[in-house]
Structure formats: structure tokens, C-alpha cells
Amino acid sequence: MSRLPRKALVTGGAGFIGHHLLRALLEAGLDVRVLDNLSSGSEASMPERADFLRGDILNPQDVAAAMSGCDIVYHLAGNANGTLSVENPRLDFEANAVGTFNLLEAALAGEVRRFVYVSSASVYGIPRRFPIDEEHPLSPFVPYGASKLVGERYCRTYLDTYGLSSVIARPFCVYGPGENPELALVEVGRYLRWHLNGATIQVVGDADRKTRDFVHVDDVVRGLLVLAERGEAGEAYNIGSGEETSMRQLADLVGSFTNLVVDLAEIQEVMEDTYRLVASISKLTHLGYSPTMSLERGVRQLVEEMGESPALPTGSTIFHPGQAAEE
Ligand SMILES: NC(=O)c1ccc[n+]([C@@H]2O[C@H](COP(=O)([O-])OP(=O)(O)OC[C@H]3O[C@@H](n4cnc5c(N)ncnc54)[C@H](O)[C@@H]3O)[C@@H](O)[C@H]2O)c1
């Protein structure tokens, strides 16, 4: 008979996805501890009931202290930014690969009976077939994808060698309220922020041929909870909407909620970003997951939350394989 978890550790619980997960776990009545160094997250929205430990996943003492008394770990902390990984691959490798290793080590030494690792769809690289299922070849083309894949491999190894029950989540393009606009790269928030300020929507690549699978953060949280409870140890699961949206469709949708004319510019020289990306979510739906937030409803909600002139996105999403990112 399965025992109910007593205390959950959420690494990266001050970040975008982490703080939504934290709220869901607290609402479900769990005790939750957060480990976060606030490098991109914020303590501002931390619920009082959360046990917040400011610390670094690269520091084994911080990790051991955070792990103490926890029997389930949701590991989200690390670098979530592909462009930053191109600019600073060491930072990315340390945060995502070494950081995950530190978490696994501490989980093994503690009482953890479930380890949920939040990887990324970036482990697939440029997709070769559609929709992308979990059997698709793993061929990341930016350091971020490689460092997330290293984390996956170590989760698997710690299951096979030491019996640590880990399960791997591969979210696609996550959007929703509470993103850090300076770091967020997913097009939904960026396009809205430009458009609501009357600025040009900058499409990196071809607006019609570039597609993505946008999944609302509430659905990602649902997917993570399903995986914690029912995911098969050692297995990886896509978390997406299963819907494919082109950049032009997204820009049109954004424009349909305002009275403003959509001004769109394609940055054509960056064609490497022009690829299709859509998840097969059947492996996760077999466990009981089903996405509930349509892109239309999610965008409408964000328009209301952002107001008339939200902070503009900063940071480049422009890079060519083999080169450092451009401004
Ligand atoms: N946002 C997406 O579209 C998306 C898609 C796929 C996967 N993911 C993954 O989901 C996870 C969360 O992403 P997010 O979008 O919420 O990013 P985020 O940057 O908002 O959250 C990451 C959190 O980790 C913390 N952190 C970073 N380095 C740390 C360290 N060394 N020690 C302790 N804390 C540290 C940050 O302060 C931040 O609060 C990441 O692992 C990311 O790779 C995100």
C-alpha cells in the first residue's frame, strides 16, 4: 500500500513553473520546502506556508539541509534559458548537470522515495518526425539540451544502480502568468508584451513554417503531479498541449484580443529556429493527464493580467549553431 508523502522539496520553487507547483502542492495539503538561490526567481510571491531555504543546488550542504525530512523531490532549479546556455555553457552545465547530480546524491542519502526531474523537450534537438513521442532520437543542438539530457541520464543511472525511483518530465513551451520577462523566451509572453506596448512582434525565423507546442503552466503542474503519483520509474514523459501553432497564428491570436494592429517582423537570417515542434502526449494521457487550458483561453487570461503596458522582454533569442549569441 502506498504511503502518502509527508514533505515535498521543490527546487526552483521561486521560479516561474516552480511557484505554480508550490501553490498546487500546498493546496493539496502537503508540507513543502523550497530550495532556490533566487538567481532568476523571486521570493515575492512565496506563500507564507512554504518553508523557504535560500541556497544553491551547487552547494552539497545546502542540498542536504533542504532534503532533510522530505520524501518526494520535484527538481526544477537550474538554468532554463537556451540562449544563456550558448553564451555561458559552463554556468548551464554546472546548474543543470552538476546541480542534478547533487540532488540525486542527497536524495539517495535521505529518505526520498520519489524524484521528479523536470527536463525539457530541448533534449530532442531539431525534430525529425511529428508529433514527437518519447522514442524520438535525442540530439540536442544547444548546451541547454545537452545539460538537461545529462540530468536525465543520471536519473536513470541512479535508478538502475541504486534503486532511486525517478521519473522524467519533458515540458514543451510553457507559458502563463508569473514569468520573469527578462529571461522568458517562450513566444506567447514575449509577443504579448511587445504587442500590448504597441511594439513590433519580432519573429525569430519564418512566421508560417516555425511552429511550437505551447502548454499552459497550470497544465504542466497537473502533468507533474500525475507523474509523481503514477509515472513509471525511469521513464520520460512529454508534457505539452499536443497542439501545433505557427508564429503567425500566435501573433494573430494575440492581436484578436486587442484593438491594436499586429505589427510583425521576421528576423529571416535566423532560419535555424524555423522548425516544427509538437508533442505526442499520449504516453502521459494514458496516466490520466489531459490538458485543460486552450491557447485561446490562456492568452486571454494573460492579456487581462498583463494590463496595457507590461514590462518589455529583454534578452536575445537569436543564435546560430556554432556561434555565440548575438545581441
Ligand atoms: N519555461 C519553460 O518553457 C520550460 C520548458 C521546459 C523545461 N523547463 C524547465 O523547467 C524548470 C523551471 O523552469 P522555469 O521556466 O520555471 O525557470 P525559472 O528560471 O523561472 O526557474 C528556475 C528557478 O531555479 C532557481 N535556480 C537557478 N539556479 C539555481 C541554483 N544553482 N541553485 C538554486 N536555485 C537555482 C532560480 O532562481 C529560479 O527560481 C527548469 O528546469 C527548466 O529547464 C522550462
Side-chain angles (χ1 to χ4, degrees):
M1 194 169 63
S2 72
R3 184 165 59 83
L4 286 174
R6 289 168 305 165
K7 186 154 188 161
L9 171 63
V10 179
T11 73
F16 167 46
I17 301 173
H19 87 263
H20 288 276
L21 174 64
L22 172 62
R23 285 180 184 281
L25 292 171
L26 287 170
E27 276 169 27
L30 260 78
D31 278 345
V32 189
R33 181 176 292 139
V34 170
L35 175 65
D36 201 300
N37 68 357
L38 302 182
S39 55
S40 64
S42 157
E43 207 184 342
S45 58
M46 187 77 55
E48 268 182 26
R49 282 182 298 141
D51 171 9
F52 176 58
L53 186 65
R54 183 168 183 174
D56 202 304
I57 57 169
L58 292 176
N59 180 337
Q61 282 82 35
D62 288 352
V63 176
M67 194 74 72
S68 163
C70 294
D71 50 9
I72 180 162
V73 177
Y74 295 88
H75 175 39
L76 287 80
N79 172 44
N81 185 307
T83 304
L84 183 60
S85 82
V86 176
E87 291 166 343
N88 192 341
R90 179 176 292 279
L91 176 150
D92 176 76
F93 180 78
E94 287 177 351
N96 292 354
V98 181
T100 301
F101 174 79
N102 286 341
L103 261 295
L104 289 167
E105 279 280 278
L108 205 57
E111 300 162 38
V112 171
R113 59 185 185 85
R114 194 67 156 151
F115 189 97
V116 181
Y117 172 56
V118 181
S119 179
S120 163
S122 65
V123 296
Y124 295 118
I126 306 271
R128 300 177 197 174
R129 54 171 200 255
F130 308 95
I132 302 156
D133 63 22
E134 290 81 356
E135 301 305 313
H136 185 283
L138 302 174
S139 185
F141 67 98
V142 286
Y144 170 67
S147 64
K148 297 303 275 189
L149 186 53
V150 171
E152 288 195 11
R153 296 293 197 226
Y154 268 84
C155 287
R156 180 73 216 198
T157 303
Y158 270 56
L159 170 69
D160 293 342
T161 312
Y162 308 111
L164 181 68
S165 175
S166 57
V167 62
I168 294 158
R170 291 179 183 153
F172 277 61
C173 305
V174 188
Y175 75 98
E179 278 181 299
N180 178 339
E182 284 178 25
L183 294 171
L185 298 182
V186 171
E187 286 82 358
V188 179
R190 291 174 75 85
Y191 286 16
L192 262 177
R193 288 175 186 281
W194 279 316
H195 183 63
L196 290 168
N197 280 287
T200 303
I201 293 176
Q202 296 167 37
V203 179
V204 180
D206 184 300
D208 296 296
R209 289 190 298 119
K210 174 176 169 178
T211 68
R212 294 294 183 266
D213 182 318
F214 298 113
V215 57
H216 193 273
V217 67
D218 289 350
D219 285 326
V220 174
V221 168
R222 278 186 203 99
L224 293 176
L225 298 179
V226 166
L227 286 186
E229 206 178 306
R230 296 194 285 279
E232 194 176 323
E235 289 294 309
Y237 296 83
N238 292 338
I239 306 185
S241 64
E243 302 286 333
E244 184 173 15
T245 304
S246 76
M247 298 306 106
R248 192 175 305 280
Q249 287 169 327
L250 174 63
D252 287 345
L253 181 62
V254 161
S256 72
F257 290 109
T258 67
N259 292 322
L260 307 167
V261 175
V262 175
D263 180 20
L264 184 148
E266 290 172 312
I267 305 173
Q268 287 284 1
E269 68 271 22
V270 192
M271 300 310 283
E272 289 85 355
D273 224 33
T274 301
Y275 55 85
R276 293 175 60 196
L277 190 72
V278 60
S280 161
I281 54 172
S282 56
K283 192 170 173 184
L284 190 56
T285 53
H286 279 114
L287 297 183
Y289 164 84
S290 70
T292 58
M293 186 71 96
S294 68
L295 186 58
E296 193 175 15
R297 193 153 70 87
V299 169
R300 185 187 304 122
Q301 201 187 66
L302 267 184
V303 169
E304 283 162 16
E305 281 179 26
M306 280 185 181
E308 277 182 15
S309 45
L312 281 165
T314 50
S316 166
T317 58
I318 303 172
F319 51 80
H320 305 272
Q323 283 178 230
E326 299 170 356
E327 279 308 309

